[in-house]
């Protein structure tokens, strides 16, 4: 089988691409582990200045694979691969640029709150249907969402589960720039290369100053990830989630 997570280099940019086209880049436990491993290797490589995360045309990431969700529901806990991924995402030292085209569902949207720059195509659609599945937000989005977007917009996205198109996402501050789908990857790569060309120490210092704001430090973000994960696991084992997943699978069939 072809790889579902591809790591490559573009000069000083470490490029990570999700490539599970048949499932619209829905993430499995193995994919989470592969992403974490690729990011850790790039963090340790002095030749890498910037991370770039891409999907495929029409599908950035459709969230968690439903079969993995059902397994989590059966065991009543999140897999270690998911938590390792979330911790790695929250503790990257090098800038993270994300290029989104098409679907960005669940963690495909909440992960954007950890990015430094997000470029999206005009065909992108952002949605976090956590409560529809009897679940709660993750990836520290319950902390970062209100601080980035304000309570009203964050509640609309994370609790109501309203879909956001690219222009709305840009207007509320979830993403930086909207481009035609044909230009998405080129623009994202150009953005990452421009960052990678900056003086390395100055870029690192600027990023640290911008991110380490009072009340939103790394320790608080990691603590919220753990708090969300515990509640997420409890919700997975609930009758509400069981009914929601049963209905979801029936619709898929």
């Amino acid at each position: 089988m072809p790889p579902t997570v591809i790591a490559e280099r573009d000069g000083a940019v470490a490029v990570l691409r999700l490539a599970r086209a048949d499932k619209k880049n829905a993430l499995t436990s193995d994919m989470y582990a592969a992403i974490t491993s690729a990011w850790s290797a790039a963090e340790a490589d002095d030749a890498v200045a910037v991370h770039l995360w891409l999907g495929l045309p029409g599908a950035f990431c459709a969230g968690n694979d439903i079969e993995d969700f059902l397994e989590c529901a059966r065991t009543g806990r999140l897999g270690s691969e998911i938590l390792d991924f979330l911790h790695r995402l929250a503790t990257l030292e090098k800038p993270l640029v994300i290029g989104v085209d098409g679907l960005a569902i669940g963690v495909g949207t909440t992960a954007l709150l950890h990015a430094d720059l997000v470029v999206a195509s005009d065909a992108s659609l952002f949605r976090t249907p956590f409560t529809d599945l009897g679940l709660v937000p993750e990836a520290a989005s319950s902390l970062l969402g209100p601080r980035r977007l304000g309570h009203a917009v964050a509640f609309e996205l994370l609790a109501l589960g309203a879909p956001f198109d690219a222009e709305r996402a840009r207007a509320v501050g979830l993403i930086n720039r909207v481009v035609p789908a044909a230009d998405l990857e080129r623009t994202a790569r150009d953005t990452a290369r421009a960052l990678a060309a900056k003086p390395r120490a100055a870029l690192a210092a600027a990023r640290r100053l911008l991110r380490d704001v009072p009340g939103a430090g790394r320790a608080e973000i990691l603590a919220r990830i753990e708090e969300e994960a515990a509640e997420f696991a409890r919700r997975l084992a609930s009758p509400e989630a069981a009914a929601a997943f049963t209905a979801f699978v029936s619709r898929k069939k």
Side-chain angles (χ1 to χ4, degrees), residues 128 151-164 168:
T128 59
H151 173 79
V153 174
F155 193 89
E156 181 183 1
L157 176 66
L158 298 169
L160 180 63
F164 282 40
R168 178 83 195 287

Side-chain angles (χ1 to χ4, degrees), residues 88-96 111-117 144 148 203-218 221:
R88 179 75 279 183
L89 174 64
T91 58
L92 291 175
E93 296 287 349
K94 298 173 182 179
L96 172 62
L112 305 182
L113 294 167
H114 295 271
D116 297 288
L117 284 165
L144 298 175
R148 170 82 71 84
L203 179 62
R207 182 177 188 264
R208 184 182 67 254
L209 290 167
L210 285 162
R211 294 176 73 91
D212 290 346
V213 297
R218 180 178 295 179
I221 291 170

Side-chain angles (χ1 to χ4, degrees), residues 1-252:
M1 292 180 62
T4 54
V5 175
I6 301 169
E8 60 183 19
R9 283 280 298 281
D10 180 357
V13 178
V15 183
L16 184 140
R17 185 190 302 278
L18 304 182
R20 194 186 181 202
D22 60 322
K23 297 295 184 180
K24 301 186 185 300
N25 285 335
L27 294 170
T28 65
S29 295
D30 287 345
M31 291 174 73
Y32 277 118
I35 295 168
T36 302
S37 177
W39 279 343
S40 294
E43 285 281 286
D45 187 344
D46 290 339
V48 171
V50 174
H51 300 279
L52 173 61
W53 182 3
L54 299 169
L56 295 170
F60 170 64
C61 175
N64 271 63
D65 181 86
I66 192 65
E67 292 300 325
D68 275 22
F69 254 157
L70 291 173
E71 178 60 26
C72 289
R74 283 191 287 268
T75 61
R77 63 180 181 84
L78 291 179
S80 61
E81 297 87 354
I82 297 176
L83 284 174
D84 289 346
F85 161 82
L86 294 175
H87 289 166
R88 179 75 279 183
L89 174 64
T91 58
L92 291 175
E93 296 287 349
K94 298 173 182 179
L96 172 62
V97 177
I98 299 181
V100 178
D101 183 35
L103 293 178
I105 308 298
V107 73
T109 288
T110 56
L112 305 182
L113 294 167
H114 295 271
D116 297 288
L117 284 165
V118 181
V119 181
S121 80
D122 53 11
S124 297
L125 181 69
F126 307 86
R127 186 166 180 249
T128 59
F130 297 119
T131 56
D132 291 336
L133 294 171
L135 303 173
V136 295
E138 33 77 301
S141 59
S142 64
L143 173 71
L144 298 175
R147 287 179 176 168
R148 170 82 71 84
L149 312 174
H151 173 79
V153 174
F155 193 89
E156 181 183 1
L157 176 66
L158 298 169
L160 180 63
F164 282 40
D165 64 15
E167 285 297 341
R168 178 83 195 287
R170 184 196 59 77
V172 300
L174 182 62
I175 67 175
N176 296 85
R177 187 177 176 190
V178 180
V179 299
D183 298 335
L184 183 278
E185 181 161 338
R186 176 184 58 78
T187 304
R189 285 182 180 270
D190 286 349
T191 301
R193 292 184 193 120
L195 276 176
K198 305 288 184 185
R200 192 76 60 87
L203 179 62
R207 182 177 188 264
R208 184 182 67 254
L209 290 167
L210 285 162
R211 294 176 73 91
D212 290 346
V213 297
R218 180 178 295 179
E220 187 180 13
I221 291 170
L222 291 174
R224 182 57 63 93
I225 286 173
E226 294 295 330
E227 183 181 357
E228 290 172 342
E231 185 61 38
F232 200 100
R234 285 191 289 270
R235 295 298 94 218
L236 272 172
S238 71
E240 283 185 338
F245 281 119
T246 299
F248 179 84
V249 171
S250 296
R251 289 196 301 271
K252 295 287 283 187

